[in-house]
Amino acid sequence: MGCATALSLADRGADVVVLERAVPGAEASSAAAGILGAQIELQHERGERASLFVRARDAWGPWARMLRERTGIDVGHRVSGVLRVAFDAHQKAAIEQDVAWQRDHGLRAELLDGRGARGVEPALAEGVVGAAHFPDDAQVDPTLVLRALSAVLARSPRVELRSGATVTGLLVERDRCAGVRLDDGEVRADATVLAAGSWSSLVPGLPAGLPVVRPVRGQMVLLDERPATVMSIVFGPGGYVVPRGDGRVLCGSTMEHAGFRREVTAAGVHAVLGAALGCVPSLGGAQLVGTWSNFRPHAEGDRPLVGASPLAGLFLAAGHHRNGILLAKVTGDDVAAAVLA
Ligand SMILES: Cc1cc2nc3c(=O)[nH]c(=O)nc-3n(C[C@H](O)[C@H](O)[C@H](O)COP(=O)(O)OP(=O)(O)OC[C@H]3O[C@@H](n4cnc5c(N)ncnc54)[C@H](O)[C@@H]3O)c2cc1C
């Protein structure tokens, strides 16, 4: 969120300092699966969010091209489509409802029986009795996105990118945010954007009454299958599988209220792999290459905090929970527009 907002601000002519205690993308943004799941996520986020999610997904193609042109880095944007699979009549009924709602709202969504689903993704389990297919949902590789964003920011004459800079509080003067305090000094600014992910509510000096942002831990498992067989993103009950197209397959993810504990646990890996192999049994033969966990920033009230805050001079870009990669470009633009209004 910080990098996307900084880029949008700089491209609109503002001078920006990015303050990051580690390196850009050190936390959730590089840990994510990178699903641009505008439609698959509508099972959690119906209503007015549908158009925002679709706008966010559709903004990614041009943004990925721009990042490649300016940095030479291909961020792995692929419209790989998403299948949400059902194993019984109850799950199938939920999928039918979802597809009907989406089609009524002008979105492309297809209802498939088990055979039809295996026609789209032959690696699916025999037990799959139906699926919703969202052919326009897509993916990026978040690690590459963060590499590209930091490269483009480092090259911008308007941006100063400071890694290893920990913000220790807001500077509040005459009821206005005048910048931030650091370990070793301060940075003054006309506008300050809070984009500290799951740590956003821990920054001293925030105005009272802001919804609290809390971490929701997600554990991930990376597999390597050779040759690559799975090509579609598959969501099953309790987990998902994201093939990068080259044999790497990300399996995710738990949703845990575990504070800032970074462990990858036996139960977490068991749950993630159980869900993944339930959908795509052939992944049982893939090599387990790595595991990690990180924290989705969940804002109280279930809505991201985007734009002006009750404190003059302070703007918010936090609390995007499961969909911060999907929403990065549009959030950056919306926050930049609010800052420069
Ligand atoms: C396992 C997992 C899977 C996910 N999968 C997806 C997905 O498929 N699709 C999707 O859209 N989203 C996904 N998400 C959600 C997405 O990753 C987040 O919503 C998004 O990355 C949040 O971005 P952010 O910039 O707010 O937070 P972060 O990426 O966590 O960045 C916050 C930054 O602030 C820095 N910071 C914190 N405090 C300070 C301070 N005091 N001073 C200086 N710097 C500070 C941190 O070092 C960090 O780099 C996933 C998340 C997880 C954990």
Side-chain angles (χ1 to χ4, degrees), residues 175-269:
D175 292 332
R176 191 182 165 82
C177 182
V180 296
R181 272 194 309 279
L182 303 177
D183 277 343
D184 55 355
E186 58 184 41
V187 176
R188 295 189 157 265
D190 297 327
T192 301
V193 178
L194 176 69
S198 289
W199 298 266
S200 294
S201 293
L202 303 180
V203 176
L206 291 177
L210 277 188
V212 178
V213 179
R214 294 192 176 86
V216 177
R217 183 170 72 185
Q219 302 188 38
M220 301 282 299
V221 177
L222 176 62
L223 304 178
D224 186 358
E225 57 156 12
R226 297 192 190 179
T229 59
V230 201
M231 289 297 156
S232 302
I233 298 172
V234 180
F235 271 68
Y240 54 74
V241 162
V242 184
R244 291 282 185 241
D246 59 3
R248 285 174 300 152
V249 182
L250 280 87
C251 306
S253 180
T254 56
M255 297 274 289
E256 301 165 272
H257 296 275
F260 287 104
R261 294 181 60 159
R262 272 179 204 276
E263 292 98 331
V264 171
T265 62
V269 172

Side-chain angles (χ1 to χ4, degrees), residues 1 20-21 27-29 33-35 165 167 321-326:
M1 291 305 156
E20 164 58 56
R21 66 183 178 196
E27 302 286 356
S29 297
I35 305 162
V167 171
H321 198 215
R322 299 169 56 91
N323 291 301
I325 303 299
L326 169 67

